[in-house]
Structure formats: C-alpha cells, structure tokens
Amino acid sequence: MTGTDDTTYDLVFSLPDGGEDTVVVRPVGTTGPGGHPVYTDDSGIVRAEISDRGEARMLATGGHQAPGRPLVCRRHTPPDREAAG
C-alpha cells in the first residue's frame, strides 16, 4: 500500500450516534513526522499521515483540534473503477 500520486484512502470515523462517517483523503505531496505521505480531504481540515501498511496517524490542522483516530483506513476505489473490474 504505498502512497502514489493518485492513491486515495477512505478514513472511516465513528459518530456519537453510533453511525459512521467516511472521509476520502488525497496526497498533498509532503511527508509527516513519521516520514510517511500526508493526505487531506477536500476541505483541508482532515489530515492524516498514512504508512505503507495503511496505518493512519491523524494530524491536527488547528490549535485546539484533537482529531480522533479512524476506525478503518482503506485504499479508496472509485465507483467507476469498481465497475470496470
């Protein structure tokens, strides 16, 4: 699971009501404190360093932010790719 320029990941978070929220993150071209690629969502608020083993380390984007750890970090497959095969 190495991070390439077009690799995206789904980060699945637990919601207080027991549901789940999935956020798609894309590489930003930098590395995090552990030396792995950094990924962000379209808003730039959700940032994670993702290792080559698919382990996500959440990175704060604001002074008082305490990001939760995702339940799941999985390589994202767009719907059009799934249909193709």
Side-chain angles (χ1 to χ4, degrees):
M1 276 199 202
T2 57
T4 61
D5 289 347
D6 62 348
T7 300
T8 59
Y9 286 89
D10 290 329
L11 300 180
V12 182
F13 296 92
S14 176
L15 296 175
D17 66 4
E20 294 180 346
D21 184 26
T22 300
V23 178
V24 177
V25 293
R26 294 169 177 72
V28 297
T30 61
T31 56
H36 303 288
V38 173
Y39 294 76
T40 188
D41 71 334
D42 289 338
S43 73
I45 295 172
V46 177
R47 288 176 61 90
E49 176 183 14
I50 302 177
S51 75
D52 56 354
R53 293 183 290 184
E55 300 164 326
R57 174 191 300 182
M58 300 308 297
L59 304 173
T61 59
H64 296 287
Q65 186 182 28
R69 185 173 181 179
L71 298 172
V72 177
C73 174
R74 66 176 168 250
R75 192 170 242 185
H76 177 73
T77 303
D80 58 335
R81 281 193 175 163
E82 287 178 0

